[in-house]
């Protein structure tokens, strides 16, 4: 009897389920897809279902996940069986787990017996047995989703400036029209009622709030179009307005400041017998047979450098330590210090010092030894995006406090902060910790914007005054944010903030034009010039003048198409 873990949501049932497949001669690698549709409410029972699996009908029992149930998480080729279905701890076995959807960090984490694992995270290339500890709404992933929903509901809508003005403008104009009628009736020449009616109507016509009504939507429409052309997608005008008033920007590290992909940062050599290309060739060659996730980064780097792979014999993967093998009759080992100790490799003091310096920077370092002598090392890191430093500097020059919050370790966060000249950062934070930081700043009266790309950033994005998601990030982050940056780099935040300032400035200009025009036009329409110059404003002329005010607002809004972001 075999247990396979999968997410039935892929088949339309929004629950993680345990598939008990009573197959004696059917290989697990063939159980790639289950073809069948069952009612969500009735599927979980002891009754077996006959389901067509690659043309073979087999009896399958579906049951709800429950506390203390044991599950085998397989390294099947089918992605359905790679996702961990519930929160729990490993009971037997070990593997590397991609926790990026929870922590936002790209480096897979090695998990062994008694280590905790979370639902939704992705298993690596090994199998293990886990015991369920939290299921359903109690899982960390469900809690994150719940936090996003609560944060979204707690956001109060902004009262638009135009709405405030209109609330006073319209009744004032009506009152002026009535006063105009009364004054002409009382003090006007004959036919006084005709003059009173004509001038009262002229006041209403020339003060028609068309320009006032166009002031905001025209600027927003042109501004959103300009943003789209510049790679800044605006979900709504509210997000654009909120961004203009921020004084604190919280940014995630991985995928926001950095590329979000492990890559080779440096090849170190501490031997006169070998040069860097030879060391790299050994590293790439020994890793070609490795299943460790970081091996992919070295293989990719080797391919970019045009490295020729050497044949590897007697390959062996030492779990949690590294890999060993024979290349050209030489004993080659690549791994951490524990592996070097296990094979009794000699590590020169100078090389050891270099590695420790890299590790203090929070980078992952592997030693390379040949015939039990360490000759070099490889440093793997998540590179900082080329635009990050310049963008942060520009934001700081605008008076915006930039704070980095990350789920990564302190050393890595400190290294990134120093490189970017960030004085304020916090490391080792979970999604709820980031949300708490946003709430703390808001309680101090700060207007907070949050930029992130992962599910772990979603609660903070939803709670912030202005949420900015990287277009290269997860759908949940994009859905939680009001602004999305297509290219996914921090320079987009600078563009978005510049656009917000330009649009809000343009709206205020439009409102000024509309109000100053009415401030001049209404008294003239009321007949204030008649006692001195005998001039009255015809309602037809008032209608023409009113149209010109709308045209001026539209023309001013169209200037946004040419602004530089």
């Amino acid at each position: 009897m075999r247990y396979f873990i999968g997410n039935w949501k892929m088949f339309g049932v929004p629950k993680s389920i345990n598939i008990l497949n009573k197959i004696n001669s059917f290989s697990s690698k063939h159980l790639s897809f289950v073809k069948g549709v069952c009612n969500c409410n009735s599927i979980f029972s002891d009754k077996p279902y006959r389901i067509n699996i690659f043309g073979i009908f087999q009896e399958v029992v579906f049951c709800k996940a429950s506390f203390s149930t044991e599950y085998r998480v397989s390294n099947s080729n089918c992605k359905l069986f790679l996702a961990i279905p519930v929160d729990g701890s490993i009971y037997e076995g070990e593997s590397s787990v991609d926790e990026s959807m929870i922590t936002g960090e790209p480096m897979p984490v090695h998990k062994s017996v008694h280590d905790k694992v979370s639902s939704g995270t992705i298993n690596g290339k090994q199998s293990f047995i886990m015991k369920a500890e939290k299921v359903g709404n109690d899982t960390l992933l469900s809690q994150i989703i719940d936090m996003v929903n609560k944060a979204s509901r707690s956001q109060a809508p902004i009262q638009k400036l135009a709405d405030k003005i209109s609330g006073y403008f319209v009744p004032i104009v009506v009152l002026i029209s009535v006063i105009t009628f009364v004054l002409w009736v009382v003090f006007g020449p004959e036919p006084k009622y005709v003059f009173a009616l004509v001038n009262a109507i002229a006041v209403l016509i020339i003060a028609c709030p068309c320009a006032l009504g166009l002031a905001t939507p025209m600027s927003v429409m042109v501004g959103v179009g300009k943003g789209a052309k510049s790679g800044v997608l605006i979900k709504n005008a509210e997000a654009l307005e909120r961004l203009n008033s921020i004084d604190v920007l919280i940014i995630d590290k991985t995928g926001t400041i950095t590329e979000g992909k492990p890559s080779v940062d440096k090849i170190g050599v501490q031997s006169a017998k070998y040069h860097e290309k030879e060391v790299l060739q050994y590293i790439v060659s020994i890793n070609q047979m490795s299943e460790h996730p970081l091996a992919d980064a070295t293989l990719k780097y080797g391919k970019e450098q045009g490295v020729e792979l050497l044949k590897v014999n007697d390959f062996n993967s030492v779990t949690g330590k590294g890999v060993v093998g024979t290349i050209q009759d030489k004993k080659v080992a690549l791994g951490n210090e524990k592996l070097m100790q296990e094979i009794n490799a000699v590590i020169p003091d100078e090389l050891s010092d270099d590695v420790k310096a890299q590790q203090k920077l929070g980078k992952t370092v592997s030693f390379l030894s040949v015939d039990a002598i360490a000759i070099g090392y490889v440093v793997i890191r998540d590179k900082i995006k080329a635009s990050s430093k310049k963008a942060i500097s520009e934001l700081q020059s605008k008076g915006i406090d930039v704070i980095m919050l990350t789920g990564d370790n302190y050393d890595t966060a400190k290294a990134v902060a120093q490189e970017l000249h960030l004085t304020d950062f916090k490391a080792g934070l979970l999604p709820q910790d980031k949300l708490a930081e946003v709430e703390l700043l808001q309680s101090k009266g700060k207007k907070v914007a949050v930029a992130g790309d992962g599910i772990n950033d979603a609660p903070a994005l939803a709670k912030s005054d202005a949420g900015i998601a990287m277009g290269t990030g997860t759908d949940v982050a994009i859905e939680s944010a009001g602004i999305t940056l297509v290219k996914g780099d921090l320079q987009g935040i600078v563009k978005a903030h510049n656009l917000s300032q330009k649009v809000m400035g343009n709206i205020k200009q439009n409102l000024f034009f509309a109000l100053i025009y009415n401030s001049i036009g209404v008294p003239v329409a009321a007949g204030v010039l008649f006692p001195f110059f005998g001039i009255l404003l015809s309602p037809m002329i008032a209608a023409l003048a009113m149209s010109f005010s709308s045209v001026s607002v539209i023309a001013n809004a169209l200037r946004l198409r040419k602004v530089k972001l």
Side-chain angles (χ1 to χ4, degrees):
M1 189 177 295
R2 297 190 180 96
Y3 290 82
F4 294 97
I5 302 305
N7 192 331
W8 193 251
K9 187 175 181 181
M10 295 178 64
F11 297 102
V13 182
K15 293 186 179 181
S16 294
I17 62 173
N18 170 27
I19 303 178
L20 169 56
N21 183 28
K22 298 181 180 179
I23 306 174
N24 294 321
S25 59
F26 202 70
S27 175
S28 62
K29 68 180 181 181
H30 294 143
L31 187 59
S32 298
F33 295 96
V34 179
K35 298 179 180 178
V37 179
C38 301
N39 183 278
C40 180
N41 295 323
S42 62
I43 186 173
F44 301 108
S45 68
D46 293 331
K47 176 184 176 182
Y49 290 86
R50 288 183 60 81
I51 292 182
N52 187 326
I53 304 173
F54 289 120
I56 302 174
F57 281 93
Q58 300 290 342
E59 288 189 351
V60 179
V61 176
F62 301 97
C63 61
K64 292 183 180 180
S66 60
F67 181 77
S68 294
T69 303
E70 292 183 4
Y71 303 98
R72 174 176 291 280
V73 181
S74 171
N75 62 335
S76 167
N77 291 328
C78 177
K79 290 185 178 179
L80 171 65
F81 303 116
L82 294 181
I84 297 173
V86 294
D87 288 2
S89 58
I90 294 178
Y91 178 73
E92 179 183 317
E94 56 187 346
S95 183
S96 59
V97 178
D98 181 358
E99 296 184 325
S100 58
M101 80 175 303
I102 299 295
T103 65
E105 304 309 320
M107 300 291 189
V109 180
H110 181 75
K111 299 287 187 177
S112 57
V113 178
H114 303 309
D115 285 342
K116 302 289 185 180
V117 289
S118 300
S119 62
T121 55
I122 306 300
N123 181 34
K125 298 182 179 180
Q126 294 174 277
S127 302
F128 60 85
I129 296 176
M130 63 170 289
K131 180 176 289 186
E133 294 178 351
K134 293 182 180 179
V135 300
N137 294 331
D138 294 329
T139 63
L140 179 59
L141 184 59
S142 294
Q143 291 173 4
I144 292 175
I145 294 171
D146 184 58
M147 283 189 289
V148 172
N149 292 333
K150 287 182 179 178
S152 298
R153 288 193 295 267
S154 67
Q155 263 187 356
I158 291 179
Q159 181 67 47
K160 298 291 188 291
L161 182 59
D163 295 336
K164 290 182 179 180
I165 295 175
S166 297
Y168 295 102
F169 178 77
V170 173
I172 289 175
V173 168
V174 173
L175 181 61
I176 291 174
S177 178
V178 172
I179 293 174
T180 299
F181 183 87
V182 172
L183 290 177
W184 275 95
V185 168
V186 176
F187 301 106
E190 294 293 342
K192 59 178 66 177
Y193 283 99
V194 173
F195 281 117
L197 183 61
V198 168
N199 287 299
I201 292 174
V203 168
L204 292 175
I205 292 175
I206 202 168
C208 180
C210 292
L212 189 62
L214 287 171
T216 300
M218 276 301 301
S219 296
V220 169
M221 182 180 68
V222 178
V224 169
K226 177 66 177 180
K229 289 182 179 179
S230 303
V232 180
L233 305 181
I234 311 297
K235 185 180 293 186
N236 51 57
E238 183 179 3
L240 198 61
E241 184 174 353
R242 285 176 178 268
L243 187 60
N244 179 61
S245 61
I246 67 164
D247 42 33
V248 176
L249 172 65
I250 292 177
I251 52 178
D252 179 43
K253 182 183 73 68
T254 304
T256 304
I257 294 178
T258 65
E259 294 177 353
K261 299 177 181 178
S263 58
V264 174
D265 182 56
K266 179 182 178 181
I267 301 295
V269 183
Q270 289 293 341
S271 174
K273 295 182 180 180
Y274 301 92
H275 52 74
E276 183 177 324
K277 189 171 184 180
E278 286 180 295
V279 171
L280 177 59
Q281 188 175 36
Y282 278 124
I283 292 171
V284 176
S285 298
I286 195 71
N287 264 337
Q288 66 180 309
M289 301 181 71
S290 173
E291 294 184 346
H292 196 282
L294 297 185
D296 294 336
T298 60
L299 290 172
K300 181 180 178 181
Y301 182 76
K303 186 177 180 180
E304 292 173 352
Q305 300 299 317
V307 173
E308 181 181 354
L309 296 178
L310 302 175
K311 184 179 179 181
V312 181
N313 296 315
D314 303 324
F315 176 84
N316 184 37
S317 176
V318 184
T319 303
K321 296 179 181 179
V323 292
V324 295
T326 302
I327 300 177
Q328 296 178 338
D329 298 324
K330 297 178 180 179
K331 297 291 185 180
V332 177
L334 179 69
N336 55 27
E337 191 171 359
K338 291 181 180 179
L339 179 63
M340 297 297 108
Q341 293 173 353
E342 184 175 308
I343 64 174
N344 296 318
V346 178
I347 303 177
D349 292 338
E350 189 175 352
L351 187 147
S352 180
D353 292 339
D354 287 349
V355 169
K356 288 179 181 178
Q358 295 293 333
Q359 289 174 334
K360 286 182 179 179
L361 296 176
K363 301 174 184 178
T364 302
V365 184
S366 294
F367 291 94
L368 174 70
S369 71
V370 177
D371 290 335
I373 299 177
I375 64 169
Y377 57 88
V378 58
V379 180
I380 296 179
R381 68 173 293 186
D382 190 10
K383 289 185 178 179
I384 295 175
K385 294 176 183 176
S387 60
S388 295
K389 189 172 184 179
K390 179 182 177 183
I392 289 175
S393 178
E394 290 183 27
L395 290 168
Q396 289 173 331
S397 67
K398 291 172 173 285
I400 299 174
D401 294 329
V402 181
I403 303 173
M404 181 179 72
L405 302 182
T406 177
D408 209 342
N409 65 75
Y410 179 83
D411 288 333
T412 300
K414 182 179 180 180
V416 172
Q418 288 177 339
E419 187 170 343
L420 298 175
H421 301 95
L422 288 174
T423 57
D424 200 351
F425 71 93
K426 290 187 178 181
L429 301 183
L430 294 173
Q432 55 266 36
D433 299 325
K434 293 183 179 182
L435 177 61
E437 288 292 329
V438 173
E439 293 174 338
L440 178 61
L441 289 168
Q442 289 176 331
S443 68
K444 295 179 179 179
K446 300 288 186 180
K447 297 295 184 181
V448 183
V450 174
D453 72 322
I455 292 179
N456 60 310
D457 301 314
L461 284 169
K463 182 62 178 177
S464 65
D465 296 291
I468 306 170
M470 303 294 114
T472 53
T474 63
D475 291 340
V476 175
I478 293 173
E479 184 65 26
S480 301
I483 298 172
T484 301
L485 308 180
V486 175
K487 293 184 179 180
D489 61 57
L490 290 183
Q491 196 60 42
I493 299 180
V494 177
K495 292 181 179 180
H497 189 259
N498 289 339
L499 178 63
S500 177
Q501 289 183 319
K502 296 290 185 182
V503 169
M504 295 310 299
N506 192 268
I507 289 174
K508 291 176 181 179
Q509 291 170 3
N510 286 343
L511 293 175
F512 173 77
F513 290 149
L515 291 175
I516 197 68
Y517 172 84
N518 283 290
S519 298
I520 297 173
V522 169
V524 173
V528 72
L529 298 179
F530 183 80
F532 308 102
F533 306 104
I535 298 175
L536 288 175
L537 191 63
S538 166
M540 292 182 290
I541 302 298
L544 182 63
M546 181 269 293
S547 299
F548 279 128
S549 69
S550 298
V551 170
S552 66
V553 167
I554 294 172
N556 185 58
L558 290 175
R559 291 191 308 110
L560 287 171
R561 295 186 301 174
K562 298 182 180 180
V563 299
K564 293 183 179 181
L565 301 179

